[in-house]
Amino acid sequence: MRGTSIKRILAAAIAMSLVVTVAGCGKTGEKATASTAGESTAATSAEAAAKPSALRIITWSNQSSVDAINELSKKYMEKYPNVKVDMSVVDTDNYPTLQRTRLQANDVDIVTMGGGFVGEKVDWAPGAVPEWQQLIDSGVFTELTNQPWVANWSTGAKAGTYKGKVYAISTGANATTGIFYNKKLFDEQGLKLPETWAEFEQLCAELKARNITPMTCGGQDQWPYQMIVNDVMAGLDIDYTTYAKGLWTGEKKFNDADGLKVFERMEFINNNMEKNFMSIPYSAVISRFVSGKAAMLPDGAWQAGEITKANKDFQFGYFPMPGTNKGVNFQGKFDLFFAVNDKSENKDNALNLLAMLSDKESYTAFVNKVGFIPTMDGVNITNEFLASLLPYTSNLKNSWELEYRIPVGVGQYAQNKGFNPQFLKSAGGSIKTIQELADLTQKDFEKAAAANKSK
Amino acid sequence: MTGKFLFNKKMILLGMLPGLLLYFCFFVAPSIGTFIFSFTDITQVPGKAWSFIGLNNYKELIFLSNGRDFLEALEKTFVFSISTTIIQTAFSLFMAVILCRKFVNYRNLYRTVIFMPTILGVTVTAFCFQLFFSIDGPAQKLLNLFGASSGFFGDYQWAFPLVIFCQIWMSAGYEMVIFIAGLQNIPEDIYEASNIDGSNEWQTFWKITLPMLWPTVMVNLSLCIIGSLSAFQIILMTTGGTPQTRTLSMFVYQVAFGMGTLDPNAGKQGLAAAMQIILFTFILIITVGSRYLMNKVNGED
C-alpha cells in the first residue's frame, strides 16, 4: 500500500513537471524585446536607442571579422548604453542554417552574408534562383537606398544593390584565388614565386624532391578544397559569363578542352597536397601550415589574420594561383555584407549600427582589423598584409563560383562550382580518370538543365 | 479522501494529458505536417510564398536529375541498416550471454564499460572518433608503423565502414542491457535440467537460451532496424555527409537545411519532406515485414 502511494505521488510529480516544462516553452528573446513591443516604427533613432533594447547580430567564425564586429559593438554600446549587442557565431558550414532559422524565427536584427548579390536569375538558366534573390524578393531585408550614410560607401553599397536598390552593405572585399607561402622556407630553399602554371608545376616538383610537402588544405570541410577550383579557373583566361551561359546552351561542356583542363590542374593539385588532406579539418589547417607541414596553403586572404594569430613571428606572403600565361591577378568577391532584417523590432538599433560603421573613422578601424579590401574610398590602411595586397586588387574580378548557375536538382558531380575533383582517386575518391569524372559531370548537368528548361 | 480524488479515472487521464500533449506536439503533429509539406514547394527562405504542387517532389526524386543520388543514398541506407543490425545484435547478444555467466569476475564492471558509450551521446562519440582517426591521431600512427596511411573519415573506401563501426560502438551497450534483462528472466532450473541431460554450451544456447530470449531478440531487432534506417547524427558529426557516407536520412537533412551548399536544392523542405515520407514508407514495410518473419520463426500465429 505504501509502495503504491509512493508510486502515485511520483506519477503526479512527473505529470506536474511536464506541465511546468510545456508552460516554460517559448521563444527566447521575447523578454528582451518585450519593452519595445508595440512601439511605433516611426519612433526616432534617439528614442529607440534610449529604451532598453537589444541588437542581435549573426556571423560566421572568422576570427578577424568577429574581433572587428566586437570592437564596433563596444563602441556602439558606449554611444547607446541602453542597447545590448548580442552576436551569435557559428562555423562557416553551419552558418546558412543559422541564418535561415534565425530569420524564420525573427530572432535576428543584422544578418551578415558572405557572397553578395551576384549570380542573379537569368533567362538562359531557368530555375536557378540564388537564395539572396529569394530573400530580397520575399521582403526579408530592409531597403537602405535612402539612408543618408549610403553615399559614404563607394563599392560597398554598389555590391549590395539589386534592381537599383541597396539591400546590404559590403564592408570589404576578399581575394580568394591566392596561395599563402612560407616566406622563410622559400628564402632558405632559394625558391622563386611562380608566375605561370608551368613554373608552379616545377616549384611543386622541386619541393617534393627536397621532401617538403608542397601544399595543405582543409579538405574535410569540403568547401575550402572546392574553392581552389576558382583559383584554377582564374588562370585559364576564361570569360565566366560566356562559359556559364555556354554550359546551359550546350556550346561549352565540362568534358570539352577547357573543362578537361580544369580537372587536369585540379588533379595536379590533388597530387601535390598533403597525404590524406581530405581528412584535415579547416580549423586545423592554419596550425599545420604555420608548423611547417606544408610550404603553401591555397586559401582566401581572410586567413592572414588567423595566421598572424597562430604565430605572430611567422613570415608569410600571398600570391595569385598562376595560370597558363603570366599576369594572372587575384579574383574574389565582395564579402561581410551587413543586411537588416525587415521584420526586426530593433530595426532602428540596426540602422544606427550601420550608420556608425559608415563613418570613415569607424570604418577605418573596422577594415584594418578585419583585413579586407576597403569598399569605401580614402581609407588609411595600416594592416601590413592588406597594404601589400592592395596594388593587385584594385579591380577585383568576381571568381568563377559567383557566375556558375547551378541547375535545380543537379546531381552531385555538377554541384557546388560545377567541377568536383574530390571524387577523383587522387583526392581519396572513387573515380580513376579525369575523363570519366568530366563525362559524369556533363551528364549530371545536362540532365538537370533539361529538366529545369522543361518546367 | 484526497487519495480517491487525486487518483480516480478522470484525474489519471488529466495527469496523462501533458504527456499526450507533448507526444502530439513533437511527434504526431510534425509527422502530419511532413506528409502535407511533401506536396508543397515550401522552402527555408523566410517569407517566401509556397503552394501545393502535387506529386512533383516525388517525381523529381525518382525520375528527374537527382534520381541517381537518391537511389545511391537508399542503397547506403540499407547497407548501413543491415550491417549495423546484424553485427550489433550478434555482438550485444554474445556479450550479454558471457556477462551473465557466474564464472566471469567483475561482470558489472564489464557491463558498465560496454554500456558507457550509450550515455556519451553522439557529439562526444563523434568528437572522440575524429580525434582518434585524425590525420595525426593514434590510428594513423599505428598504420604508419606498417608503412600505411589512410584518410579514415575522408577516405572513399573507409569512411562508410568507420561510420558503421561508430554506430555499433555507440549502441551495442544499450542492446546488451536489454538482452541481460531478458536472460535474467530465464529460470535457472531449465539450465540445470539441460546440464543433467548432458547438453553442451552450444546446444544450451540454441535450444534453450535463444528460443526463450526470442521476444527480447525481436524487440532489439525492431529497435535496431528502425534506429539504423533513420540514423544520420553520427554521419553528420563525423563526415558532414560526404557522398560516400550519405544515407537517405543524411540526404534529407542536407536538402532540408542546406548544409552550406550552393545547390539550389538547399533548404527545399517540401522536397526533403517527400524524401522523408519515402524513407518512412521503407521503414514501415521493413519493420512490419521483419516482425512477421520473426513471429513466423518463433512459431506464433
Side-chain angles (χ1 to χ4, degrees):
Chain A
M1 277 306 276
R2 192 169 168 225
T4 312
S5 300
I6 291 171
K7 281 182 189 171
R8 284 177 174 175
I9 291 165
L10 196 59
I14 290 168
M16 287 308 298
S17 67
L18 282 172
V19 170
V20 168
T21 307
V22 171
C25 286
K27 207 168 70 171
T28 57
E30 276 181 342
K31 287 176 192 164
T33 57
S35 58
T36 59
E39 272 183 22
S40 159
T41 52
T44 62
S45 301
E47 283 175 14
K51 291 186 182 175
S53 54
L55 177 57
R56 298 156 298 181
I57 306 173
I58 58 170
T59 193
W60 59 92
S61 58
N62 175 264
Q63 201 54 50
S64 310
S65 312
V66 170
D67 290 345
I69 298 172
N70 269 331
E71 279 188 17
L72 179 72
S73 302
K74 265 190 209 139
K75 193 176 168 185
Y76 180 87
M77 286 191 285
E78 278 166 18
K79 187 174 179 187
Y80 302 104
N82 290 336
V83 179
K84 186 174 182 306
V85 178
D86 175 31
M87 181 164 63
S88 301
V89 180
V90 294
D91 61 278
T92 312
D93 224 26
N94 287 314
Y95 182 69
T97 306
L98 178 75
Q99 185 183 302
R100 291 182 198 124
T101 48
R102 292 288 287 265
L103 281 168
Q104 280 276 16
N106 198 22
D107 189 24
V108 67
D109 306 309
I110 288 181
V111 173
T112 59
M113 297 186 297
F117 300 167
V118 287
E120 71 276 7
K121 187 174 183 317
V122 288
D123 293 335
W124 46 263
V129 183
E131 190 162 325
W132 62 260
Q133 191 173 345
Q134 295 181 53
L135 286 169
I136 292 174
D137 289 341
S138 305
V140 170
F141 296 142
T142 301
E143 192 199 327
L144 307 172
T145 318
N146 297 322
Q147 294 294 328
W149 39 261
V150 164
N152 294 3
W153 299 89
S154 50
T155 49
K158 193 177 168 196
T161 299
Y162 172 60
K163 288 185 177 172
K165 296 178 182 173
V166 180
Y167 289 99
I169 302 290
S170 165
T171 59
N174 253 316
T176 61
T177 61
I179 304 178
F180 289 101
Y181 69 99
N182 185 333
K183 247 189 197 165
K184 189 176 171 199
L185 185 142
F186 267 58
D187 290 341
E188 281 169 0
Q189 299 289 331
L191 298 166
K192 263 178 51 189
L193 291 184
E195 292 181 16
T196 64
W197 185 261
E199 287 175 12
F200 182 62
E201 285 180 337
Q202 205 180 340
L203 169 69
C204 292
E206 276 177 36
L207 284 166
K208 272 177 149 175
R210 299 171 201 198
N211 285 326
I212 300 169
T213 305
M215 292 178 278
T216 187
C217 168
Q220 190 184 73
D221 291 48
Q222 303 285 313
W223 69 266
Y225 166 72
Q226 286 157 358
M227 203 172 59
I228 304 175
V229 168
N230 291 328
D231 301 28
V232 166
M233 291 292 280
L236 287 176
D237 201 20
I238 291 174
D239 179 81
Y240 293 154
T241 309
T242 307
Y243 196 84
K245 188 175 177 182
L247 288 170
W248 279 84
T249 59
E251 287 159 26
K252 297 283 180 190
K253 293 182 195 296
F254 285 100
N255 52 4
D256 65 12
D258 280 338
L260 286 172
K261 199 82 190 162
V262 176
F263 283 117
E264 193 187 295
R265 290 190 178 182
M266 282 307 300
E267 176 137 76
F268 173 81
I269 285 169
N270 287 349
N271 289 328
N272 284 274
M273 279 285 184
E274 254 198 285
K275 212 170 182 187
N276 302 314
F277 68 94
M278 290 303 283
S279 62
I280 301 174
Y282 191 57
S283 54
V285 85
I286 291 294
S287 64
R288 299 189 75 77
F289 174 57
V290 161
S291 63
K293 293 259 193 289
M296 297 183 281
L297 167 66
D299 208 331
W302 57 78
Q303 286 283 51
E306 305 286 334
I307 294 172
T308 309
K309 269 198 169 57
N311 183 349
K312 61 177 171 53
D313 298 323
F314 183 77
Q315 295 164 20
F316 65 96
Y318 192 61
F319 66 93
M321 173 82 76
T324 312
N325 303 309
K326 276 188 187 182
V328 171
N329 214 336
F330 291 112
Q331 291 179 3
K333 57 175 184 170
F334 285 99
D335 209 338
L336 200 54
F337 286 77
F338 279 60
V340 177
N341 172 18
D342 200 47
K343 290 190 177 65
S344 159
E345 308 100 346
N346 305 309
K347 208 189 294 187
D348 285 335
N349 292 343
L351 292 171
N352 284 342
L353 184 88
L354 289 188
M356 179 178 274
L357 183 57
S358 305
D359 167 69
K360 193 166 276 186
E361 191 190 323
S362 299
Y363 180 68
T364 302
F366 182 88
V367 81
N368 277 297
K369 189 79 187 178
V370 82
F372 289 179
I373 299 159
T375 49
M376 187 187 282
D377 285 337
V379 170
N380 180 28
I381 295 300
T382 54
N383 182 309
E384 218 177 285
F385 173 77
L386 189 53
S388 71
L389 217 57
L390 279 178
Y392 308 102
T393 55
S394 53
N395 234 351
L396 195 72
K397 190 180 158 191
N398 277 339
S399 55
W400 159 247
E401 64 177 337
L402 302 174
E403 295 289 343
Y404 175 52
R405 302 306 205 273
I406 310 173
V408 176
V410 76
Q412 61 190 11
Y413 296 113
Q415 284 183 7
N416 302 304
K417 291 143 188 60
F419 300 91
N420 287 279
Q422 68 272 20
F423 289 108
L424 289 168
K425 222 166 167 64
S426 51
S430 62
I431 296 173
K432 289 184 185 147
T433 66
I434 58 175
Q435 184 68 57
E436 192 186 338
L437 179 57
D439 291 340
L440 283 166
T441 307
Q442 182 59 26
K443 201 172 163 189
D444 269 4
F445 185 90
E446 274 174 4
K447 196 172 177 201
N452 280 202
K453 285 174 190 172
S454 67
K455 280 182 186 169
Chain B
M1 191 71 177
T2 313
K4 274 191 176 170
F5 171 72
L6 280 177
F7 298 106
N8 70 31
K9 208 170 175 180
K10 283 182 188 158
M11 289 307 293
I12 289 168
L13 285 170
L14 198 62
M16 283 170 61
L17 198 57
L20 285 172
L21 269 174
L22 276 173
Y23 182 74
F24 181 81
C25 288
F26 292 105
F27 288 97
V28 176
S31 301
I32 296 170
T34 302
F35 181 71
I36 294 169
F37 286 135
S38 71
F39 300 105
T40 71
D41 59 359
I42 191 167
T43 71
Q44 214 181 3
V45 175
K48 190 178 178 214
W50 55 273
S51 55
F52 284 94
I53 56 170
L55 295 173
N56 283 354
N57 285 327
Y58 294 93
K59 284 180 194 168
E60 181 166 339
L61 286 171
I62 297 161
F63 299 114
L64 296 180
S65 41
N66 230 347
R68 182 208 57 227
D69 293 351
F70 175 74
L71 290 173
E72 277 181 8
L74 199 58
E75 184 196 322
K76 287 212 163 38
T77 305
F78 288 134
V79 171
F80 185 85
S81 181
I82 291 168
S83 328
T84 312
T85 302
I86 292 173
I87 300 169
Q88 186 174 303
T89 306
F91 173 76
S92 51
L93 178 58
F94 175 75
M95 293 313 298
V97 168
I98 296 291
L99 294 179
C100 278
R101 292 306 175 94
K102 289 192 170 63
F103 64 80
V104 176
N105 294 326
Y106 309 110
R107 284 195 303 274
N108 286 337
L109 173 64
Y110 297 136
R111 290 174 185 177
T112 307
V113 166
I114 294 173
F115 186 71
M116 281 282 283
T118 310
I119 59 171
L120 282 179
V122 176
T123 309
V124 173
T125 302
F127 187 63
C128 292
F129 275 108
Q130 280 192 323
L131 282 174
F132 189 78
F133 288 109
S134 66
I135 194 167
D136 292 324
Q140 193 75 262
K141 298 258 188 285
L142 188 63
L143 280 183
N144 290 160
L145 289 175
F146 300 97
S149 71
S150 173
F152 297 116
F153 290 114
D155 184 85
Y156 180 82
Q157 212 178 351
W158 288 106
F160 200 44
L162 266 179
V163 161
I164 291 171
F165 173 74
C166 293
Q167 178 71 23
I168 292 169
W169 186 86
M170 210 171 52
S171 311
Y174 179 78
E175 272 203 61
M176 183 196 71
V177 161
I178 297 176
F179 278 133
I180 287 173
L183 284 166
Q184 288 175 342
N185 277 333
I186 302 174
E188 275 298 318
D189 45 6
I190 297 181
Y191 288 116
E192 285 169 12
S194 76
N195 276 339
I196 291 165
D197 287 344
S199 63
N200 59 31
E201 293 285 348
W202 198 237
Q203 285 169 324
T204 306
F205 176 77
W206 280 109
K207 302 286 183 193
I208 295 172
T209 307
L210 195 56
M212 295 210 72
L213 200 58
W214 192 246
T216 311
V217 172
M218 281 189 356
V219 165
N220 263 341
L221 279 176
S222 300
L223 288 174
C224 200
I225 288 169
I226 295 168
S228 59
L229 282 171
S230 52
F232 77 95
Q233 297 93 331
I234 193 69
I235 299 171
L236 175 66
M237 300 305 297
T238 50
T239 67
T242 49
Q244 55 264 34
T245 59
R246 190 166 51 204
T247 58
L248 196 53
S249 290
M250 191 65 239
F251 204 359
V252 169
Y253 182 88
Q254 285 179 335
V255 170
F257 299 108
M259 291 288 292
T261 179
L262 292 177
D263 179 7
N265 265 349
K268 281 175 78 172
Q269 293 175 328
L271 182 64
M275 291 163 72
Q276 186 60 39
I277 295 298
I278 292 176
L279 177 62
F280 167 75
T281 308
F282 278 117
I283 293 174
L284 189 64
I285 293 169
I286 291 167
T287 308
V288 169
S290 59
R291 288 289 296 202
Y292 172 75
L293 280 171
M294 284 189 275
N295 284 337
K296 232 183 156 179
V297 166
N298 201 30
E300 287 176 23
D301 292 323

